[in-house]
Amino acid sequence: MSIEAFLRDSVVILAAAVVVILASHKLRVPSVVGFLLTGVLIGPSGLAWVPDTRQVEVFAEIGVVFLLFSIGLEFSLERLREIRRAFFLGGSLQSLLTLGAAFALALLAGLGAPRAAFVGFLVVLSSTAIILKLYTDRRELAAPQGRVAIGILLFQDFLIVPMIVLTPVLAGTVEASPAAVALRFTVSLAAVAAVFLLARYLMPRLLHQIVKTRVREVLVLGALLVCLGMAWLTESLEFSLALGAFLAGIVISESEYSHQVVAEIVPFRDVFNSLFFISIGMLLDLGFAMANVAAIGGLALLILVVKALAATGAVALLGFPGRIAVITGLGLAQIGEFSFVLLRVGQSHGMLPPALYQSFIAAAVLTMMLTPLLISQAPRLAELIPSLRGPRPEESAKASALRDHVIVVGFGVNGRNLARVLREASIRYLVVELDAETVRRAQAAGEPVLFGDSVRREILEHAGVERARVVVFAISDPPAVRRSVRLARELSPGTHIIVRTRAVAEIEDLRACGADEVIAEEFETSIEIFTRVLQQYHVPTNVIRAQTRALRGEDYLMLRAPSRQGLSEALLRVLAQGLTDVYQLGPENPQVGSSLRDIGLRERTGASVIALVRGQQHFPNPKPDLRLEDGDCLVLVGSHGEIGSAFDLLDGRLA
């Protein structure tokens, strides 16, 4: 390829990528889907704007390297511990169920066992890029379906390594005796073990030396060196570029500088990833696809059904209610980007005939395009399946006997903190939680927990919502929260409903659903910062409380509408003028034993002591020779600067 042709193709591809990103953002669809369609459109079988895909395939290989490198960076041991149950158990169940079903169907279709196993490998993997994008946009990443999906996706990403190793064995291009396979896996395990040793001992020191230089280019070049060097090393050992890149990501993820490396590598990753997905679209033969529309549509539908059922079953076996299982299953029903990585490896070893190869590409692209629709409709579809309407609550005399109690929906960080405060205040409460493992741990700790999904009428009825004084929704699942609030309000019009939300946009919807109070985390953080700043300037506590009430009033309208009048005139006057504050002396205070005359507070700071409180004694306008004691409270008056200087003097910080 000439330099002119290379530049022309590069310009076409990059221009198409820019248009796709803009259009995807406007239409709110994953850019991955747009890149696939762009590849189909500009590729050899479309408009042929890029007639030769060989050069693009080189970029695509680099894109795969960066994609797996970034996945490895995110595959930290700490993150794995957080979702270990979804990763190990959920990922294993989903993979085994999907692989078994795909293998059986491929055998029935007439493929031999090796090819049927390879088809099973291809079908097992789901799209991390698409699912994370959609769940992030829907604010469901912290919801149960989001957490479970992440665990399963990470397990699938890890599976790409042994699948790449096994593909040449299935193809018969390497020795397939048990001893040879065992040796190949032993070499792989030895490589992984060496990587972890490297991560623990060598890589942190190397990165520390790089970071010490404080030269940004050195960090970028060092990350690229590790990524491409490991890819080259594994390729030379007859594994794959992708395997080396994945291991390199794991190496760096165990260092304290991994976040900075991610920030530096993101631009490279995104550019080459877009080229990778565009190149996949170029692989699709439009003529073949148009001639076999029915067969490709049937194959795509079969893949979606098999994967959705397998994932639904796996999540249900984890102990989640049917609604969460169905939503997660439909979300994981598509073919993943790593399937194309594996497909390219299989193609190089002759694993699939050309017709099946093209059929799989077309069906995979179709499943990816349908994913946004499936995820958006998953909650409604879950409600339509009677057999999965959630677990029936077990009868509990304790729950049925509760009156005037608090129902806490969700036992995450906020739910646990609220439960602890209620327990210490001797206020009766009941927790509703749908994560079976969380319920088990909470019950073992003696918490009153009801296992169930708050969108179910029978769960809220059993929790005694009609008899409760307050219901607090502390779950990170916006669609489920809205349905639950509507149901709680329908069942108990007089119960006070409080909802925590992370998004300001949810406030009005939740109010319309029946919430009495909506606590927005974004604004509460702003109010807390506002409070702490005013405290540093010694603004009276009652004034601060009045302003926080004003800021929270009308669902944070003052903060949501910046054009409205801000702080009150009274507060502005307080900020501009003098004020009073109280200073209490502790046992280690350097001024204990000194008299007010010795300290010279007024002369040195301008602030005055207008009163002193000592236990039950009050000394208005204390005499200058009164000596200070441990526990004395001084009432000070002065301007903001004078009060601040007085505090510094009393603390011993002002010479």
Side-chain angles (χ1 to χ4, degrees):
M1 175 182 283
S2 67
I3 186 65
E4 181 182 355
F6 170 75
L7 290 175
R8 182 199 64 218
D9 291 350
S10 298
V11 169
V12 169
I13 293 170
L14 292 175
V18 170
V19 173
V20 165
I21 291 175
L22 292 175
S24 300
H25 179 73
K26 191 74 174 177
L27 299 174
R28 296 186 177 181
V29 298
S31 56
V32 172
V33 176
F35 288 139
L36 292 169
L37 291 176
T38 301
V40 174
L41 182 64
I42 68 176
S45 64
L47 299 175
W49 289 354
V50 182
D52 186 1
T53 62
R54 285 177 295 178
Q55 190 67 37
V56 178
E57 289 176 359
V58 174
F59 286 130
E61 289 290 345
I62 299 175
V64 171
V65 167
F66 280 107
L67 187 62
L68 278 165
F69 181 60
S70 62
I71 291 295
L73 285 171
E74 297 171 358
F75 196 83
S76 65
L77 297 179
E78 181 61 32
R79 186 178 183 186
L80 182 59
R81 279 192 289 269
E82 293 176 1
I83 53 174
R84 57 187 179 275
R85 192 164 181 268
F87 176 85
F88 289 110
L89 186 56
S92 300
L93 288 171
Q94 183 271 339
S95 300
L96 289 173
L97 291 173
T98 306
L99 179 61
F103 178 75
L105 290 172
L107 283 179
L108 291 176
L111 295 179
R115 285 183 171 175
F118 181 70
V119 168
F121 287 175
L122 296 175
V123 175
V124 161
L125 304 172
S126 302
S127 175
T128 303
I130 293 178
I131 294 173
L132 289 183
K133 169 67 174 173
L134 290 173
Y135 276 162
T136 300
D137 291 345
R138 292 171 58 86
R139 298 186 292 273
E140 294 182 21
L141 210 54
Q145 61 268 25
R147 297 197 306 271
V148 175
I150 290 173
I152 293 175
L153 287 169
L154 280 176
F155 186 86
Q156 292 177 0
D157 294 340
F158 186 76
L159 280 183
I160 189 67
V161 176
M163 286 178 177
I164 289 173
V165 172
L166 277 177
T167 296
V169 176
L170 293 174
T173 54
V174 299
E175 189 178 351
S177 66
V181 173
L183 177 62
R184 192 169 180 83
F185 268 103
T186 300
V187 172
S188 300
L189 291 174
V192 172
V195 163
F196 276 106
L197 289 175
L198 203 65
R200 293 292 185 184
Y201 300 106
L202 180 59
M203 190 53 61
R205 294 177 173 83
L206 175 61
L207 288 176
H208 180 68
Q209 294 302 318
I210 290 175
V211 171
K212 277 176 61 178
T213 66
R214 298 190 178 184
V215 180
R216 177 177 175 270
E217 290 81 359
V218 175
L219 181 61
V220 176
L221 291 174
L224 291 174
L225 173 64
V226 174
C227 173
L228 298 178
M230 289 291 291
W232 170 76
L233 178 62
T234 53
E235 177 75 9
S236 64
L237 293 174
E238 298 184 354
F239 290 108
S240 73
L241 293 168
L243 174 60
F246 181 73
L247 295 178
I250 294 179
V251 165
I252 296 179
S253 74
E254 289 301 295
S255 77
E256 58 186 295
Y257 308 109
S258 60
H259 298 295
Q260 184 62 33
V261 173
V262 170
E264 300 291 353
I265 212 73
V266 160
F268 298 97
R269 181 194 66 184
D270 292 344
V271 169
F272 287 111
N273 286 355
S274 63
L275 291 174
F276 168 69
F277 287 111
I278 289 174
S279 71
I280 292 300
M282 291 180 180
L283 296 176
L284 178 64
D285 187 337
L286 269 180
F288 177 86
M290 297 302 294
N292 298 275
V293 171
I296 291 171
L299 178 59
L301 180 61
L302 182 62
I303 290 172
L304 290 172
V305 171
V306 168
K307 295 199 68 175
L309 290 176
T312 298
V315 177
L317 289 173
L318 286 178
F320 285 93
R323 182 180 67 87
I324 300 300
V326 171
I327 292 174
T328 308
L330 291 172
L332 295 171
Q334 77 290 131
I335 295 296
E337 55 271 4
F338 285 160
S339 295
F340 295 108
V341 176
L342 192 61
L343 186 64
R344 295 169 74 90
V345 175
Q347 182 191 23
S348 65
H349 292 282
M351 285 301 296
L352 295 180
L356 183 55
Y357 176 79
Q358 280 296 328
S359 297
F360 182 83
I361 290 177
V365 170
L366 185 56
T367 63
M368 286 180 159
M369 292 172 58
L370 290 173
T371 299
L373 177 64
L374 286 176
I375 289 181
S376 66
Q377 297 301 314
R380 296 181 184 177
L381 294 174
E383 295 293 330
L384 296 177
I385 304 177
S387 61
L388 291 173
R389 293 191 62 84
R392 296 290 302 179
E394 297 180 1
E395 289 301 321
S396 169
K398 185 175 181 180
S400 61
L402 287 175
R403 295 286 189 282
D404 201 36
H405 59 296
V406 178
I407 299 176
V408 182
V409 180
F411 206 56
V413 174
N414 288 291
R416 290 195 299 271
N417 290 337
L418 175 58
R420 183 173 65 251
V421 172
L422 293 173
R423 184 170 57 252
E424 292 175 355
S426 300
I427 297 175
R428 304 183 73 185
Y429 65 94
L430 178 68
V431 176
V432 177
E433 173 60 52
L434 53 70
D435 186 326
E437 182 64 18
T438 300
V439 170
R440 185 189 64 77
R441 291 197 301 266
Q443 288 177 340
E447 294 285 356
V449 182
L450 175 65
F451 173 63
D453 194 342
S454 62
V455 304
R456 307 298 179 188
R457 176 182 293 269
E458 58 268 27
I459 296 296
L460 289 181
E461 287 177 342
H462 190 73
V465 68
E466 313 90 358
R467 305 182 303 274
R469 176 179 293 193
V470 181
V471 179
V472 179
F473 289 93
I475 55 178
S476 301
D477 188 347
V481 170
R482 288 192 293 271
R483 290 196 297 274
S484 299
V485 170
R486 280 195 295 266
L487 181 59
R489 179 56 69 216
E490 175 189 335
L491 293 173
S492 183
T495 298
H496 192 78
I497 298 176
I498 302 174
V499 183
R500 184 220 67 185
T501 180
R502 293 180 174 175
V504 176
E506 294 284 331
I507 292 177
E508 293 181 1
D509 287 344
L510 291 169
R511 278 287 198 175
C513 291
D516 293 293
E517 294 185 60
V518 181
I519 310 299
E521 290 185 357
E522 296 176 10
F523 286 158
E524 285 300 322
T525 301
S526 300
I527 292 174
E528 185 63 24
I529 293 172
F530 157 86
T531 301
R532 300 294 177 89
V533 170
L534 292 187
Q535 286 173 348
Q536 289 299 311
Y537 283 91
H538 310 290
V539 175
T541 304
N542 64 310
V543 176
I544 296 177
R545 282 201 298 264
Q547 287 305 310
T548 56
R549 284 196 299 269
L551 291 173
R552 291 189 176 106
E554 301 181 69
D555 295 326
Y556 310 95
L557 187 58
M558 185 184 296
L559 294 174
R560 288 191 290 144
S563 60
R564 288 174 60 90
Q565 182 181 2
L567 300 178
S568 69
E569 291 297 328
L571 178 60
L572 293 176
R573 286 196 301 272
V574 169
L575 292 174
Q577 300 171 4
L579 47 89
T580 61
D581 207 335
V582 177
Y583 183 94
Q584 183 175 24
L585 281 75
E588 304 298 327
N589 191 285
Q591 310 302 345
V592 171
S594 301
S595 67
L596 293 176
R597 180 181 289 111
D598 295 336
I599 298 172
L601 190 72
R602 182 177 178 80
E603 293 78 8
R604 300 174 65 182
T605 68
S608 299
V609 179
I610 60 173
L612 184 147
V613 179
R614 178 177 295 163
Q616 301 298 319
Q617 294 180 291
H618 302 269
F619 300 91
N621 297 315
K623 297 180 180 180
D625 58 354
L626 180 64
R627 296 195 175 274
L628 303 182
E629 298 179 3
D630 175 20
D632 283 354
C633 290
L634 304 179
V635 181
L636 307 174
V637 64
S639 68
H640 295 286
E642 291 169 346
I643 293 291
S645 297
F647 272 56
D648 289 339
L649 177 60
L650 293 169
D651 286 337
R653 295 195 300 266
L654 185 64

